[in-house]
PDB file of all heavy atoms in Angstrom:
ATOM      1  N   GLY A 905     140.367 118.079  79.273  1.00  0.00           N
ATOM      2  CA  GLY A 905     139.605 116.846  79.344  1.00  0.00           C
ATOM      3  C   GLY A 905     138.224 117.098  79.905  1.00  0.00           C
ATOM      4  O   GLY A 905     138.036 117.898  80.819  1.00  0.00           O
ATOM      5  N   ARG A 906     137.267 116.444  79.331  1.00  0.00           N
ATOM      6  CA  ARG A 906     135.882 116.667  79.760  1.00  0.00           C
ATOM      7  C   ARG A 906     135.109 115.371  79.601  1.00  0.00           C
ATOM      8  O   ARG A 906     135.318 114.595  78.660  1.00  0.00           O
ATOM      9  CB  ARG A 906     135.233 117.789  78.948  1.00  0.00           C
ATOM     10  CG  ARG A 906     135.195 117.519  77.467  1.00  0.00           C
ATOM     11  CD  ARG A 906     134.993 118.808  76.675  1.00  0.00           C
ATOM     12  NE  ARG A 906     136.227 119.563  76.607  1.00  0.00           N
ATOM     13  CZ  ARG A 906     136.335 120.848  76.922  1.00  0.00           C
ATOM     14  NH1 ARG A 906     135.279 121.514  77.324  1.00  0.00           N
ATOM     15  NH2 ARG A 906     137.498 121.494  76.822  1.00  0.00           N
ATOM     16  N   LEU A 907     134.241 115.096  80.549  1.00  0.00           N
ATOM     17  CA  LEU A 907     133.391 113.924  80.481  1.00  0.00           C
ATOM     18  C   LEU A 907     132.259 114.157  79.494  1.00  0.00           C
ATOM     19  O   LEU A 907     131.708 115.264  79.411  1.00  0.00           O
ATOM     20  CB  LEU A 907     132.820 113.599  81.862  1.00  0.00           C
ATOM     21  CG  LEU A 907     133.849 113.251  82.948  1.00  0.00           C
ATOM     22  CD1 LEU A 907     133.156 113.053  84.285  1.00  0.00           C
ATOM     23  CD2 LEU A 907     134.640 112.018  82.568  1.00  0.00           C
ATOM     24  N   GLN A 908     131.961 113.097  78.752  1.00  0.00           N
ATOM     25  CA  GLN A 908     130.935 113.238  77.724  1.00  0.00           C
ATOM     26  C   GLN A 908     129.547 113.472  78.301  1.00  0.00           C
ATOM     27  O   GLN A 908     128.648 113.921  77.590  1.00  0.00           O
ATOM     28  CB  GLN A 908     130.927 111.994  76.813  1.00  0.00           C
ATOM     29  CG  GLN A 908     130.385 110.720  77.458  1.00  0.00           C
ATOM     30  CD  GLN A 908     131.443 109.968  78.218  1.00  0.00           C
ATOM     31  OE1 GLN A 908     132.512 110.493  78.504  1.00  0.00           O
ATOM     32  NE2 GLN A 908     131.149 108.730  78.574  1.00  0.00           N
ATOM     33  N   ASN A 909     129.377 113.185  79.597  1.00  0.00           N
ATOM     34  CA  ASN A 909     128.064 113.393  80.214  1.00  0.00           C
ATOM     35  C   ASN A 909     127.936 114.757  80.899  1.00  0.00           C
ATOM     36  O   ASN A 909     126.919 115.039  81.526  1.00  0.00           O
ATOM     37  CB  ASN A 909     127.758 112.279  81.215  1.00  0.00           C
ATOM     38  CG  ASN A 909     128.825 112.145  82.291  1.00  0.00           C
ATOM     39  OD1 ASN A 909     129.807 112.887  82.329  1.00  0.00           O
ATOM     40  ND2 ASN A 909     128.629 111.191  83.193  1.00  0.00           N
ATOM     41  N   ARG A 910     128.964 115.602  80.796  1.00  0.00           N
ATOM     42  CA  ARG A 910     128.894 116.970  81.327  1.00  0.00           C
ATOM     43  C   ARG A 910     128.527 117.921  80.203  1.00  0.00           C
ATOM     44  O   ARG A 910     129.374 118.321  79.393  1.00  0.00           O
ATOM     45  CB  ARG A 910     130.223 117.363  81.960  1.00  0.00           C
ATOM     46  CG  ARG A 910     130.547 116.647  83.256  1.00  0.00           C
ATOM     47  CD  ARG A 910     129.729 117.212  84.403  1.00  0.00           C
ATOM     48  NE  ARG A 910     129.930 118.651  84.572  1.00  0.00           N
ATOM     49  CZ  ARG A 910     130.911 119.184  85.310  1.00  0.00           C
ATOM     50  NH1 ARG A 910     131.774 118.403  85.951  1.00  0.00           N
ATOM     51  NH2 ARG A 910     131.015 120.509  85.424  1.00  0.00           N
ATOM     52  N   THR A 911     127.277 118.310  80.147  1.00  0.00           N
ATOM     53  CA  THR A 911     126.799 119.138  79.049  1.00  0.00           C
ATOM     54  C   THR A 911     127.463 120.511  79.027  1.00  0.00           C
ATOM     55  O   THR A 911     127.706 121.072  77.954  1.00  0.00           O
ATOM     56  CB  THR A 911     125.274 119.302  79.137  1.00  0.00           C
ATOM     57  OG1 THR A 911     124.905 119.802  80.385  1.00  0.00           O
ATOM     58  CG2 THR A 911     124.581 117.994  78.926  1.00  0.00           C
ATOM     59  N   ASP A 912     127.777 121.083  80.209  1.00  0.00           N
ATOM     60  CA  ASP A 912     128.405 122.398  80.237  1.00  0.00           C
ATOM     61  C   ASP A 912     129.791 122.367  79.615  1.00  0.00           C
ATOM     62  O   ASP A 912     130.167 123.285  78.862  1.00  0.00           O
ATOM     63  CB  ASP A 912     128.464 122.917  81.677  1.00  0.00           C
ATOM     64  CG  ASP A 912     129.159 121.942  82.625  1.00  0.00           C
ATOM     65  OD1 ASP A 912     129.201 120.724  82.329  1.00  0.00           O
ATOM     66  OD2 ASP A 912     129.668 122.407  83.683  1.00  0.00           O
ATOM     67  N   LEU A 913     130.566 121.317  79.948  1.00  0.00           N
ATOM     68  CA  LEU A 913     131.901 121.188  79.371  1.00  0.00           C
ATOM     69  C   LEU A 913     131.843 120.884  77.876  1.00  0.00           C
ATOM     70  O   LEU A 913     132.672 121.375  77.109  1.00  0.00           O
ATOM     71  CB  LEU A 913     132.682 120.102  80.103  1.00  0.00           C
ATOM     72  CG  LEU A 913     132.974 120.358  81.581  1.00  0.00           C
ATOM     73  CD1 LEU A 913     133.695 119.168  82.200  1.00  0.00           C
ATOM     74  CD2 LEU A 913     133.806 121.621  81.752  1.00  0.00           C
ATOM     75  N   MET A 914     130.890 120.085  77.481  1.00  0.00           N
ATOM     76  CA  MET A 914     130.755 119.778  76.066  1.00  0.00           C
ATOM     77  C   MET A 914     130.337 121.018  75.270  1.00  0.00           C
ATOM     78  O   MET A 914     130.769 121.215  74.133  1.00  0.00           O
ATOM     79  CB  MET A 914     129.752 118.654  75.868  1.00  0.00           C
ATOM     80  CG  MET A 914     130.168 117.334  76.513  1.00  0.00           C
ATOM     81  SD  MET A 914     131.775 116.716  75.973  1.00  0.00           S
ATOM     82  CE  MET A 914     131.433 116.339  74.265  1.00  0.00           C
ATOM     83  N   GLU A 915     129.531 121.863  75.855  1.00  0.00           N
ATOM     84  CA  GLU A 915     129.160 123.106  75.187  1.00  0.00           C
ATOM     85  C   GLU A 915     130.361 124.033  75.043  1.00  0.00           C
ATOM     86  O   GLU A 915     130.470 124.783  74.061  1.00  0.00           O
ATOM     87  CB  GLU A 915     128.047 123.817  75.972  1.00  0.00           C
ATOM     88  CG  GLU A 915     126.682 123.183  75.802  1.00  0.00           C
ATOM     89  CD  GLU A 915     126.204 123.241  74.364  1.00  0.00           C
ATOM     90  OE1 GLU A 915     126.549 124.218  73.648  1.00  0.00           O
ATOM     91  OE2 GLU A 915     125.497 122.310  73.932  1.00  0.00           O
ATOM     92  N   GLU A 916     131.255 124.009  76.014  1.00  0.00           N
ATOM     93  CA  GLU A 916     132.474 124.806  75.917  1.00  0.00           C
ATOM     94  C   GLU A 916     133.323 124.346  74.735  1.00  0.00           C
ATOM     95  O   GLU A 916     133.923 125.168  74.026  1.00  0.00           O
ATOM     96  CB  GLU A 916     133.277 124.698  77.214  1.00  0.00           C
ATOM     97  CG  GLU A 916     134.538 125.552  77.233  1.00  0.00           C
ATOM     98  CD  GLU A 916     135.325 125.366  78.507  1.00  0.00           C
ATOM     99  OE1 GLU A 916     136.009 124.325  78.614  1.00  0.00           O
ATOM    100  OE2 GLU A 916     135.225 126.235  79.397  1.00  0.00           O
ATOM    101  N   LEU A 917     133.379 123.041  74.498  1.00  0.00           N
ATOM    102  CA  LEU A 917     134.100 122.506  73.343  1.00  0.00           C
ATOM    103  C   LEU A 917     133.452 122.979  72.044  1.00  0.00           C
ATOM    104  O   LEU A 917     134.146 123.340  71.083  1.00  0.00           O
ATOM    105  CB  LEU A 917     134.133 120.984  73.403  1.00  0.00           C
ATOM    106  CG  LEU A 917     134.826 120.262  72.247  1.00  0.00           C
ATOM    107  CD1 LEU A 917     136.286 120.666  72.155  1.00  0.00           C
ATOM    108  CD2 LEU A 917     134.702 118.745  72.409  1.00  0.00           C
ATOM    109  N   ALA A 918     132.155 122.952  72.004  1.00  0.00           N
ATOM    110  CA  ALA A 918     131.458 123.441  70.821  1.00  0.00           C
ATOM    111  C   ALA A 918     131.758 124.919  70.570  1.00  0.00           C
ATOM    112  O   ALA A 918     131.854 125.358  69.414  1.00  0.00           O
ATOM    113  CB  ALA A 918     129.944 123.219  70.989  1.00  0.00           C
ATOM    114  N   LYS A 919     131.920 125.691  71.639  1.00  0.00           N
ATOM    115  CA  LYS A 919     132.280 127.108  71.504  1.00  0.00           C
ATOM    116  C   LYS A 919     133.656 127.270  70.864  1.00  0.00           C
ATOM    117  O   LYS A 919     133.857 128.158  70.010  1.00  0.00           O
ATOM    118  CB  LYS A 919     132.243 127.791  72.871  1.00  0.00           C
ATOM    119  CG  LYS A 919     132.678 129.252  72.849  1.00  0.00           C
ATOM    120  CD  LYS A 919     132.729 129.809  74.264  1.00  0.00           C
ATOM    121  CE  LYS A 919     133.256 131.255  74.240  1.00  0.00           C
ATOM    122  NZ  LYS A 919     133.343 131.817  75.624  1.00  0.00           N
ATOM    123  N   ILE A 920     134.622 126.423  71.270  1.00  0.00           N
ATOM    124  CA  ILE A 920     135.965 126.475  70.684  1.00  0.00           C
ATOM    125  C   ILE A 920     135.880 126.248  69.178  1.00  0.00           C
ATOM    126  O   ILE A 920     136.534 126.956  68.393  1.00  0.00           O
ATOM    127  CB  ILE A 920     136.881 125.445  71.352  1.00  0.00           C
ATOM    128  CG1 ILE A 920     137.100 125.776  72.829  1.00  0.00           C
ATOM    129  CG2 ILE A 920     138.228 125.371  70.630  1.00  0.00           C
ATOM    130  CD1 ILE A 920     137.895 124.717  73.586  1.00  0.00           C
ATOM    131  N   VAL A 921     135.083 125.302  68.774  1.00  0.00           N
ATOM    132  CA  VAL A 921     134.942 125.011  67.347  1.00  0.00           C
ATOM    133  C   VAL A 921     134.338 126.214  66.619  1.00  0.00           C
ATOM    134  O   VAL A 921     134.790 126.591  65.524  1.00  0.00           O
ATOM    135  CB  VAL A 921     134.078 123.748  67.146  1.00  0.00           C
ATOM    136  CG1 VAL A 921     133.810 123.516  65.663  1.00  0.00           C
ATOM    137  CG2 VAL A 921     134.778 122.535  67.755  1.00  0.00           C
ATOM    138  N   ARG A 922     133.343 126.860  67.183  1.00  0.00           N
ATOM    139  CA  ARG A 922     132.709 128.017  66.542  1.00  0.00           C
ATOM    140  C   ARG A 922     133.705 129.173  66.395  1.00  0.00           C
ATOM    141  O   ARG A 922     133.752 129.840  65.347  1.00  0.00           O
ATOM    142  CB  ARG A 922     131.496 128.466  67.347  1.00  0.00           C
ATOM    143  CG  ARG A 922     130.324 127.494  67.314  1.00  0.00           C
ATOM    144  CD  ARG A 922     129.048 128.172  67.838  1.00  0.00           C
ATOM    145  NE  ARG A 922     129.202 128.667  69.208  1.00  0.00           N
ATOM    146  CZ  ARG A 922     128.901 127.967  70.281  1.00  0.00           C
ATOM    147  NH1 ARG A 922     128.453 126.700  70.165  1.00  0.00           N
ATOM    148  NH2 ARG A 922     129.039 128.504  71.491  1.00  0.00           N
ATOM    149  N   VAL A 923     134.516 129.423  67.415  1.00  0.00           N
ATOM    150  CA  VAL A 923     135.491 130.514  67.359  1.00  0.00           C
ATOM    151  C   VAL A 923     136.564 130.223  66.309  1.00  0.00           C
ATOM    152  O   VAL A 923     136.994 131.129  65.568  1.00  0.00           O
ATOM    153  CB  VAL A 923     136.123 130.731  68.749  1.00  0.00           C
ATOM    154  CG1 VAL A 923     137.292 131.711  68.659  1.00  0.00           C
ATOM    155  CG2 VAL A 923     135.090 131.248  69.736  1.00  0.00           C
ATOM    156  N   ILE A 924     137.028 128.974  66.247  1.00  0.00           N
ATOM    157  CA  ILE A 924     138.026 128.606  65.246  1.00  0.00           C
ATOM    158  C   ILE A 924     137.495 128.857  63.834  1.00  0.00           C
ATOM    159  O   ILE A 924     138.220 129.364  62.958  1.00  0.00           O
ATOM    160  CB  ILE A 924     138.435 127.129  65.421  1.00  0.00           C
ATOM    161  CG1 ILE A 924     139.253 126.942  66.704  1.00  0.00           C
ATOM    162  CG2 ILE A 924     139.234 126.646  64.221  1.00  0.00           C
ATOM    163  CD1 ILE A 924     139.589 125.480  67.000  1.00  0.00           C
ATOM    164  N   ARG A 925     136.236 128.564  63.610  1.00  0.00           N
ATOM    165  CA  ARG A 925     135.658 128.723  62.265  1.00  0.00           C
ATOM    166  C   ARG A 925     135.453 130.182  61.892  1.00  0.00           C
ATOM    167  O   ARG A 925     135.212 130.488  60.707  1.00  0.00           O
ATOM    168  CB  ARG A 925     134.338 127.949  62.192  1.00  0.00           C
ATOM    169  CG  ARG A 925     134.564 126.439  62.144  1.00  0.00           C
ATOM    170  CD  ARG A 925     133.281 125.642  62.175  1.00  0.00           C
ATOM    171  NE  ARG A 925     133.598 124.216  62.060  1.00  0.00           N
ATOM    172  CZ  ARG A 925     132.688 123.245  62.197  1.00  0.00           C
ATOM    173  NH1 ARG A 925     131.404 123.558  62.457  1.00  0.00           N
ATOM    174  NH2 ARG A 925     133.064 121.976  62.088  1.00  0.00           N
ATOM    175  N   LYS A 926     135.532 131.083  62.853  1.00  0.00           N
ATOM    176  CA  LYS A 926     135.534 132.499  62.521  1.00  0.00           C
ATOM    177  C   LYS A 926     136.826 132.889  61.822  1.00  0.00           C
ATOM    178  O   LYS A 926     136.840 133.796  60.981  1.00  0.00           O
ATOM    179  CB  LYS A 926     135.330 133.336  63.787  1.00  0.00           C
ATOM    180  CG  LYS A 926     133.938 133.223  64.391  1.00  0.00           C
ATOM    181  CD  LYS A 926     133.814 134.098  65.626  1.00  0.00           C
ATOM    182  CE  LYS A 926     132.404 133.984  66.224  1.00  0.00           C
ATOM    183  NZ  LYS A 926     132.253 134.836  67.434  1.00  0.00           N
ATOM    184  N   GLN A 927     137.904 132.235  62.178  1.00  0.00           N
ATOM    185  CA  GLN A 927     139.188 132.468  61.530  1.00  0.00           C
ATOM    186  C   GLN A 927     139.273 131.735  60.195  1.00  0.00           C
ATOM    187  O   GLN A 927     139.792 132.253  59.221  1.00  0.00           O
ATOM    188  CB  GLN A 927     140.338 132.011  62.442  1.00  0.00           C
ATOM    189  CG  GLN A 927     140.647 132.949  63.581  1.00  0.00           C
ATOM    190  CD  GLN A 927     141.550 134.091  63.134  1.00  0.00           C
ATOM    191  OE1 GLN A 927     141.630 134.419  61.944  1.00  0.00           O
ATOM    192  NE2 GLN A 927     142.203 134.719  64.077  1.00  0.00           N
ATOM    193  N   ASP A 928     138.771 130.523  60.186  1.00  0.00           N
ATOM    194  CA  ASP A 928     138.815 129.696  58.984  1.00  0.00           C
ATOM    195  C   ASP A 928     137.549 128.858  58.954  1.00  0.00           C
ATOM    196  O   ASP A 928     137.372 127.980  59.804  1.00  0.00           O
ATOM    197  CB  ASP A 928     140.059 128.812  58.985  1.00  0.00           C
ATOM    198  CG  ASP A 928     140.251 128.057  57.678  1.00  0.00           C
ATOM    199  OD1 ASP A 928     139.299 128.003  56.852  1.00  0.00           O
ATOM    200  OD2 ASP A 928     141.354 127.516  57.476  1.00  0.00           O
ATOM    201  N   PRO A 929     136.658 129.117  57.990  1.00  0.00           N
ATOM    202  CA  PRO A 929     135.398 128.367  57.937  1.00  0.00           C
ATOM    203  C   PRO A 929     135.586 126.855  57.808  1.00  0.00           C
ATOM    204  O   PRO A 929     134.690 126.094  58.202  1.00  0.00           O
ATOM    205  CB  PRO A 929     134.690 128.940  56.700  1.00  0.00           C
ATOM    206  CG  PRO A 929     135.324 130.287  56.493  1.00  0.00           C
ATOM    207  CD  PRO A 929     136.735 130.143  56.950  1.00  0.00           C
ATOM    208  N   ASP A 930     136.717 126.439  57.264  1.00  0.00           N
ATOM    209  CA  ASP A 930     136.964 125.008  57.086  1.00  0.00           C
ATOM    210  C   ASP A 930     137.637 124.367  58.291  1.00  0.00           C
ATOM    211  O   ASP A 930     137.817 123.149  58.326  1.00  0.00           O
ATOM    212  CB  ASP A 930     137.830 124.772  55.843  1.00  0.00           C
ATOM    213  CG  ASP A 930     137.146 125.223  54.566  1.00  0.00           C
ATOM    214  OD1 ASP A 930     135.894 125.127  54.498  1.00  0.00           O
ATOM    215  OD2 ASP A 930     137.856 125.683  53.638  1.00  0.00           O
ATOM    216  N   ALA A 931     138.054 125.178  59.231  1.00  0.00           N
ATOM    217  CA  ALA A 931     138.747 124.659  60.420  1.00  0.00           C
ATOM    218  C   ALA A 931     137.725 124.187  61.474  1.00  0.00           C
ATOM    219  O   ALA A 931     136.593 124.685  61.508  1.00  0.00           O
ATOM    220  CB  ALA A 931     139.663 125.737  60.986  1.00  0.00           C
ATOM    221  N   PRO A 932     138.116 123.256  62.337  1.00  0.00           N
ATOM    222  CA  PRO A 932     139.373 122.496  62.277  1.00  0.00           C
ATOM    223  C   PRO A 932     139.351 121.468  61.149  1.00  0.00           C
ATOM    224  O   PRO A 932     138.321 120.832  60.901  1.00  0.00           O
ATOM    225  CB  PRO A 932     139.418 121.817  63.647  1.00  0.00           C
ATOM    226  CG  PRO A 932     137.996 121.678  64.060  1.00  0.00           C
ATOM    227  CD  PRO A 932     137.281 122.866  63.490  1.00  0.00           C
ATOM    228  N   HIS A 933     140.497 121.352  60.494  1.00  0.00           N
ATOM    229  CA  HIS A 933     140.586 120.425  59.367  1.00  0.00           C
ATOM    230  C   HIS A 933     140.629 118.971  59.828  1.00  0.00           C
ATOM    231  O   HIS A 933     140.234 118.075  59.087  1.00  0.00           O
ATOM    232  CB  HIS A 933     141.827 120.757  58.542  1.00  0.00           C
ATOM    233  CG  HIS A 933     141.853 122.190  58.092  1.00  0.00           C
ATOM    234  ND1 HIS A 933     142.525 123.163  58.792  1.00  0.00           N
ATOM    235  CD2 HIS A 933     141.283 122.811  57.028  1.00  0.00           C
ATOM    236  CE1 HIS A 933     142.380 124.343  58.163  1.00  0.00           C
ATOM    237  NE2 HIS A 933     141.635 124.151  57.091  1.00  0.00           N
ATOM    238  N   ASN A 934     141.138 118.746  61.022  1.00  0.00           N
ATOM    239  CA  ASN A 934     141.142 117.420  61.646  1.00  0.00           C
ATOM    240  C   ASN A 934     140.713 117.567  63.096  1.00  0.00           C
ATOM    241  O   ASN A 934     141.211 118.454  63.810  1.00  0.00           O
ATOM    242  CB  ASN A 934     142.519 116.750  61.597  1.00  0.00           C
ATOM    243  CG  ASN A 934     143.098 116.679  60.195  1.00  0.00           C
ATOM    244  OD1 ASN A 934     143.864 117.559  59.798  1.00  0.00           O
ATOM    245  ND2 ASN A 934     142.745 115.626  59.458  1.00  0.00           N
ATOM    246  N   THR A 935     139.787 116.738  63.521  1.00  0.00           N
ATOM    247  CA  THR A 935     139.406 116.667  64.933  1.00  0.00           C
ATOM    248  C   THR A 935     139.678 115.255  65.408  1.00  0.00           C
ATOM    249  O   THR A 935     138.957 114.311  65.051  1.00  0.00           O
ATOM    250  CB  THR A 935     137.929 117.032  65.139  1.00  0.00           C
ATOM    251  OG1 THR A 935     137.688 118.354  64.650  1.00  0.00           O
ATOM    252  CG2 THR A 935     137.581 116.985  66.622  1.00  0.00           C
ATOM    253  N   LEU A 936     140.730 115.128  66.196  1.00  0.00           N
ATOM    254  CA  LEU A 936     141.150 113.815  66.664  1.00  0.00           C
ATOM    255  C   LEU A 936     140.563 113.540  68.044  1.00  0.00           C
ATOM    256  O   LEU A 936     140.733 114.341  68.968  1.00  0.00           O
ATOM    257  CB  LEU A 936     142.681 113.724  66.735  1.00  0.00           C
ATOM    258  CG  LEU A 936     143.454 113.990  65.439  1.00  0.00           C
ATOM    259  CD1 LEU A 936     144.952 113.783  65.679  1.00  0.00           C
ATOM    260  CD2 LEU A 936     142.960 113.106  64.316  1.00  0.00           C
ATOM    261  N   LEU A 937     139.885 112.444  68.159  1.00  0.00           N
ATOM    262  CA  LEU A 937     139.362 111.993  69.447  1.00  0.00           C
ATOM    263  C   LEU A 937     140.311 110.936  69.999  1.00  0.00           C
ATOM    264  O   LEU A 937     140.495 109.880  69.400  1.00  0.00           O
ATOM    265  CB  LEU A 937     137.960 111.421  69.297  1.00  0.00           C
ATOM    266  CG  LEU A 937     137.344 110.793  70.553  1.00  0.00           C
ATOM    267  CD1 LEU A 937     137.265 111.788  71.703  1.00  0.00           C
ATOM    268  CD2 LEU A 937     135.969 110.201  70.244  1.00  0.00           C
ATOM    269  N   VAL A 938     140.918 111.242  71.150  1.00  0.00           N
ATOM    270  CA  VAL A 938     141.844 110.321  71.803  1.00  0.00           C
ATOM    271  C   VAL A 938     141.050 109.468  72.786  1.00  0.00           C
ATOM    272  O   VAL A 938     140.365 109.995  73.671  1.00  0.00           O
ATOM    273  CB  VAL A 938     142.970 111.080  72.523  1.00  0.00           C
ATOM    274  CG1 VAL A 938     143.917 110.088  73.208  1.00  0.00           C
ATOM    275  CG2 VAL A 938     143.742 111.936  71.530  1.00  0.00           C
ATOM    276  N   LEU A 939     141.151 108.145  72.630  1.00  0.00           N
ATOM    277  CA  LEU A 939     140.409 107.197  73.453  1.00  0.00           C
ATOM    278  C   LEU A 939     141.365 106.363  74.297  1.00  0.00           C
ATOM    279  O   LEU A 939     142.435 105.976  73.838  1.00  0.00           O
ATOM    280  CB  LEU A 939     139.566 106.264  72.578  1.00  0.00           C
ATOM    281  CG  LEU A 939     138.484 106.934  71.720  1.00  0.00           C
ATOM    282  CD1 LEU A 939     137.891 105.915  70.764  1.00  0.00           C
ATOM    283  CD2 LEU A 939     137.399 107.552  72.587  1.00  0.00           C
ATOM    284  N   ASP A 940     140.940 106.103  75.501  1.00  0.00           N
ATOM    285  CA  ASP A 940     141.677 105.249  76.425  1.00  0.00           C
ATOM    286  C   ASP A 940     141.133 103.826  76.285  1.00  0.00           C
ATOM    287  O   ASP A 940     139.951 103.574  76.515  1.00  0.00           O
ATOM    288  CB  ASP A 940     141.507 105.758  77.852  1.00  0.00           C
ATOM    289  CG  ASP A 940     142.328 104.978  78.866  1.00  0.00           C
ATOM    290  OD1 ASP A 940     142.841 103.888  78.535  1.00  0.00           O
ATOM    291  OD2 ASP A 940     142.434 105.435  80.023  1.00  0.00           O
ATOM    292  N   ALA A 941     141.990 102.887  75.900  1.00  0.00           N
ATOM    293  CA  ALA A 941     141.550 101.515  75.663  1.00  0.00           C
ATOM    294  C   ALA A 941     141.013 100.852  76.920  1.00  0.00           C
ATOM    295  O   ALA A 941     140.226  99.909  76.840  1.00  0.00           O
ATOM    296  CB  ALA A 941     142.697 100.681  75.080  1.00  0.00           C
ATOM    297  N   THR A 942     141.426 101.337  78.088  1.00  0.00           N
ATOM    298  CA  THR A 942     140.978 100.718  79.332  1.00  0.00           C
ATOM    299  C   THR A 942     139.522 101.033  79.658  1.00  0.00           C
ATOM    300  O   THR A 942     138.944 100.413  80.551  1.00  0.00           O
ATOM    301  CB  THR A 942     141.867 101.163  80.500  1.00  0.00           C
ATOM    302  OG1 THR A 942     141.784 102.592  80.661  1.00  0.00           O
ATOM    303  CG2 THR A 942     143.315 100.792  80.243  1.00  0.00           C
ATOM    304  N   THR A 943     138.920 101.997  78.964  1.00  0.00           N
ATOM    305  CA  THR A 943     137.527 102.339  79.227  1.00  0.00           C
ATOM    306  C   THR A 943     136.550 101.325  78.652  1.00  0.00           C
ATOM    307  O   THR A 943     135.367 101.326  79.009  1.00  0.00           O
ATOM    308  CB  THR A 943     137.194 103.726  78.663  1.00  0.00           C
ATOM    309  OG1 THR A 943     137.420 103.742  77.248  1.00  0.00           O
ATOM    310  CG2 THR A 943     138.046 104.792  79.321  1.00  0.00           C
TER     311      THR A 943
END
């Protein structure tokens, strides 16, 4: 979990996506964003 206002954590997420695409250029095939309704 990472706050959207933390640029360092968000960059880490972007890194995960780049590494996944090294294995499969089309991956991830689905990126699900889970939202909390109470927010």
